[in-house]
Amino acid sequence: MGRVITAQQVHGTDVVAVDDALSATVTDGNPTCVPNADGLVTNRPGTALMALSADCPLVLVYDPAGGALGLAHAGWRGTLAGIAERLVACLTSNYGSAAEQMVATICPSAGPCCYEVGAEVVDMAAERWPEAERFLVRCDGRILLDLWSANAAQLQMAGLSPERIETPGLCSICDHRFHSYRRTGATTGHSGLMAALTP
Ligand SMILES: [Zn+2]
């Protein structure tokens, strides 16, 4: 059976490389959780990275040329703190992956149609990004945050070309095929994304 590694997902920006020492701690069949991390990278075929989401975007980055994979949990805190850029940087620093070779996808998650945020988040976004208005949708007195565009922009800033970034545009809040914290509350389930390099 292959190995499954998850990150604890603490709304931070730590990205951890899954190496042999970490893999060796895994019991067959049971996922190992890396504490205090929100992103994982690996170049080990057969080591599956898994992340869970109930509205938070999951960002998957793959370097087909270098044979490396990264997966990050990018809720609003992680997005504002730049976890997508750190994921790309971690692939480069660990495996020599070139950003222009990478492809990425931003999984179904809270969309700009539904993801209303308060003044605190708007202020933090304005502080973080001079171009924050690009990622905010103002509509009927509400302010919605476009986490998809914000993460895609970070991936582009990190060196990925726009045509290599795929955003399915499926909103977990209004598309009931997905689990949503906003729609269901604390009892929500989670959607999972698992990715692995084939041996
Ligand atoms: Zn929606």
Side-chain angles (χ1 to χ4, degrees), residues 160-191:
L160 277 76
S161 48
E163 64 271 17
R164 294 171 80 88
I165 303 166
E166 192 173 351
T167 305
L170 298 171
C171 170
S172 55
I173 300 175
C174 60
D175 186 329
H176 289 216
R177 288 176 295 175
F178 303 102
H179 293 288
S180 169
Y181 187 89
R182 273 291 166 97
R183 191 179 68 243
T184 314
T187 58
T188 184
H190 290 77
S191 304

Side-chain angles (χ1 to χ4, degrees), residues 95-121:
Y95 311 123
S97 297
E100 56 271 22
Q101 303 270 18
M102 298 177 194
V103 292
T105 190
I106 298 162
C107 84
S109 46
C113 42
C114 296
Y115 192 55
E116 187 173 355
V117 291
E120 179 207 10
V121 176

